[in-house]
Amino acid sequence: MAFPSRIHVAVLLVSVWLAFALAQPSVNFTVSHDGDTDFLTVKEGQVLPLNITIRDGVYTGVISVASTDEGTFEVVNATEYTIVNSSDLPLVMTVRVKGKFVGIERLRLRLAQTAGAAGVAVGEYTIKVIRVPTILDILFTYVLLVWLCLSYVTTGAKMQPKVIWSKMKPPWGILIGMLGQFILMPLWAFALTKIFALDNETALGLIFVGTCPGGWLSNIFSLLLDCDFVLSLTMTFCSTVMAMGLMPLNLFIYATPIVAENAQLKTPFVELAIQLILLVIPIGIGMALCYKFEKFKKICERLLKPLAGILILLALGLGIPAQLYAFQSPWQVWVVSALLPIGGVILGGVVAKIICLPKKSVITVALETGAQNALLAKTMLDLFYPRPESDLVGRVPLVVSLISLVEGTVVTLVYVLIRYACCRKDEDQEVLVKDKNENEKTEQDAEKADKQAESKQKEGQKAEEGVQTNFPDDSPADQAHVNPVFDSNEEIEHNL
């Protein structure tokens, strides 16, 4: 009897599910607007009309429309429309949509039996809100382009075939760096997208940064932290060359599952490969100028640190006001943007330590692995994707760049303070030792002077004793012996 009862229960559950599914209303509606796309694009602060036509599937009830996120856009006019009977169809509703903040959300249609009731969702339509470009956006874009060009030109100026070959003879540092940048970092970025269940735009931005080659930021911090600067330059050069093939491959492996359902986010692999090939040209220009003009290398060496500081200040001064929307990103964006470089530094340093590389090389490999060229990712995203997708995907490179810059600056300041404290301590120790030596020398000189004074005093006493012995007082013979002139005068007077 138990077996038939289970069948009955299963049949009952299926029947209930089918009844519930069939009870869901199926509303046939169309949406029209000035554009010819299957979504509405509205700028921040702009209000656009949207015509929704209900054709059939509803015989009575109240149709309402609302935004899935009032922070992105809102409906500014009446949101409820009553259908008394089927003769009211087709029903045309004109909805006015106001963009508030960059993003992609849905306009949701709900059907209820009475006004004010929650009802059930019967349809959705995509609304995209884009930012209004400003002059700061244009300036920031040009600063990024200048930054990238100068960084790769100076990298090429620093590179010499002999230097590259010297670092490749024991290729362990280069191999560990390539392993970290093109295997560990993309895998770590993909793991973060799954751990924090990121949306498609944020996940794509994180993977894009994770697959980028090393950048100028790692070279600067390697220089400031007194690491192996030549190794850092060599790794940047090698990663830039290898990125022409490995970056599209990693994006194909990790990004394709994420963007498979969104045609707006599909990666243009051909354009990406072309852009990466173009990156090698500034490096070649720098190497050619350095080979042709010896003074060019000296100029680059003198201007490297000042130029780096100026570009960092310009990037912060223009980038923060121009990209304020990135600061309003969800907390998940900030967390994964902080964990990505930190995890890369740890992974690269651990692997380099296992291979038993020198201390400076370990730190250099760690920096090169964690400090990906996020600004390169931002520039490519602006070129490849339309708005607002490029802005939403580009939030991650912006936040990663900012956090990496802050983290690197803090580490550099701590290093400088520790080094100053240690040097100060050594200087104080040297001063103490010097003072001690001078005091000891002064004491020795004083003792020596005292001994010399005592010796002179003794010699003087001996001399006085000798004079008293050889020349006694009131001795006529001695006086005559001592004053022969007076004796001769007395003789002359006597004769006269």
Side-chain angles (χ1 to χ4, degrees):
M1 296 298 295
F3 184 75
S5 64
R6 292 180 180 177
I7 294 178
H8 292 160
V9 172
V11 172
L12 180 62
L13 291 175
V14 172
S15 301
V16 171
W17 180 80
L18 288 174
F20 179 78
L22 293 174
Q24 295 294 323
S26 177
V27 178
N28 182 15
F29 70 96
T30 58
V31 179
S32 61
H33 51 84
D34 293 338
D36 57 353
T37 58
D38 56 353
F39 54 85
L40 176 66
T41 301
V42 57
K43 297 179 181 179
E44 292 179 342
Q46 186 182 23
V47 179
L48 291 180
L50 186 68
N51 298 320
I52 303 175
T53 303
I54 306 296
R55 299 190 178 278
D56 56 37
V58 180
Y59 300 100
T60 182
V62 178
I63 292 289
S64 62
V65 292
S67 171
T68 55
D69 184 4
E70 294 287 343
T72 303
F73 75 92
E74 63 178 354
V75 179
V76 296
N77 61 338
T79 58
E80 290 187 351
Y81 300 85
T82 303
I83 300 176
V84 178
N85 51 51
S86 59
S87 62
D88 293 335
L89 300 179
L91 174 66
V92 179
M93 302 183 301
T94 300
V95 178
R96 299 182 65 82
V97 176
K98 180 181 180 180
K100 298 179 68 176
F101 189 74
V102 58
I104 302 175
E105 292 297 334
R106 306 290 186 272
L107 180 69
R108 182 168 295 166
L109 279 71
R110 304 184 74 89
L111 175 62
Q113 295 300 320
T114 59
V120 294
V122 294
E124 290 182 345
Y125 191 74
T126 302
I127 306 294
K128 296 183 179 182
V129 181
I130 62 175
R131 294 189 304 121
V132 179
T134 62
I135 187 65
L136 289 178
D137 289 324
I138 300 174
L139 291 176
F140 181 66
T141 301
Y142 281 110
V143 168
L144 282 183
L145 291 175
V146 172
W147 186 325
L148 289 174
C149 292
L150 289 179
S151 64
Y152 282 105
V153 169
T154 52
T155 299
K158 288 286 186 178
M159 300 303 300
Q160 296 180 6
K162 293 182 180 180
V163 175
I164 298 175
W165 182 248
S166 66
K167 291 297 178 182
M168 287 185 175
K169 282 184 178 179
W172 301 116
I174 305 296
L175 292 177
I176 296 302
M178 299 305 101
L179 171 68
Q181 287 182 334
F182 295 112
I183 296 180
L184 297 180
M185 284 297 287
L187 186 60
W188 172 235
F190 184 75
L192 289 175
T193 63
K194 297 302 180 182
I195 293 172
F196 290 92
L198 302 178
D199 58 86
N200 291 342
E201 290 80 12
T202 304
L204 180 60
L206 192 67
I207 291 176
F208 227 99
V209 176
T211 57
C212 278
W216 200 42
L217 197 61
S218 61
N219 303 146
I220 292 300
F221 285 125
S222 297
L223 182 65
L224 296 176
L225 294 174
D226 296 327
C227 298
D228 194 339
F229 183 60
V230 177
L231 177 61
S232 178
L233 289 175
T234 307
M235 292 175 64
T236 300
F237 173 76
C238 294
S239 64
T240 303
V241 174
M242 296 184 68
M244 291 187 291
L246 293 179
M247 186 175 178
L249 177 62
N250 280 319
L251 287 174
F252 177 77
I253 294 173
Y254 296 105
T256 301
I258 296 175
V259 302
E261 299 178 357
N262 191 340
Q264 300 292 326
L265 294 179
K266 289 187 177 179
T267 305
F269 294 104
V270 177
E271 290 82 355
L272 176 62
I274 293 174
Q275 292 294 327
L276 291 172
I277 292 173
L278 292 177
L279 287 179
V280 183
I281 296 177
I283 297 179
I285 292 174
M287 295 180 69
L289 290 175
C290 183
Y291 178 77
K292 189 70 175 178
F293 306 100
E294 295 182 358
K295 292 183 178 180
F296 182 75
K297 181 180 179 181
K298 296 180 180 180
I299 294 174
C300 289
E301 290 177 352
R302 292 178 181 177
L303 297 180
L304 185 59
K305 286 187 178 181
L307 184 62
I310 293 173
L311 288 176
I312 288 174
L313 292 177
L314 283 176
L316 291 175
L318 294 175
I320 292 176
Q323 310 293 328
L324 281 176
Y325 78 97
F327 290 89
Q328 302 182 34
S329 302
W331 64 269
Q332 293 92 339
V333 174
W334 289 92
V335 172
V336 297
S337 298
L339 291 177
L340 183 67
I342 292 176
V345 169
I346 294 174
L347 290 173
V350 169
V351 176
K353 192 66 177 178
I354 292 174
I355 304 299
C356 298
L357 293 179
K359 183 178 179 180
K360 287 189 175 182
S361 298
V362 170
I363 299 175
T364 303
V365 171
L367 289 174
E368 195 71 20
T369 303
Q372 302 293 85
N373 199 343
L375 294 180
L376 173 64
K378 172 60 178 173
T379 305
M380 289 186 173
L381 291 172
D382 289 339
L383 294 175
F384 294 157
Y385 298 106
R387 288 187 173 182
E389 283 81 3
S390 62
D391 289 332
L392 296 176
V393 178
R395 293 178 303 181
V396 177
L398 287 173
V399 178
V400 168
S401 300
L402 179 62
I403 292 179
S404 299
L405 185 61
V406 172
E407 291 173 346
T409 303
V410 171
V411 172
T412 302
L413 290 176
V414 171
Y415 170 75
V416 171
L417 291 175
I418 293 175
R419 183 179 178 183
Y420 174 78
C422 293
C423 293
R424 186 72 178 176
K425 185 177 180 180
D426 294 339
E427 290 177 358
D428 294 340
Q429 188 68 24
E430 290 178 359
V431 171
L432 291 175
V433 173
K434 186 177 180 180
D435 292 341
K436 183 179 179 181
N437 293 334
E438 289 180 353
N439 293 333
E440 292 178 353
K441 185 177 180 181
T442 303
E443 292 177 357
Q444 292 176 358
D445 293 340
E447 292 178 358
K448 187 176 181 180
D450 293 340
K451 290 181 179 179
Q452 290 178 354
E454 292 178 358
S455 176
K456 289 181 179 180
Q457 186 177 3
K458 290 180 179 180
E459 290 178 357
Q461 291 177 355
K462 290 181 179 180
E464 290 178 357
E465 292 176 356
V467 170
Q468 292 177 359
T469 303
N470 296 325
F471 305 100
D473 294 337
D474 302 331
S475 175
D478 292 336
Q479 292 178 0
H481 179 73
V482 173
N483 298 313
V485 176
F486 296 127
D487 294 341
S488 60
N489 290 335
E490 290 178 355
E491 289 179 358
I492 293 171
E493 291 177 356
H494 180 71
N495 293 328
L496 291 175

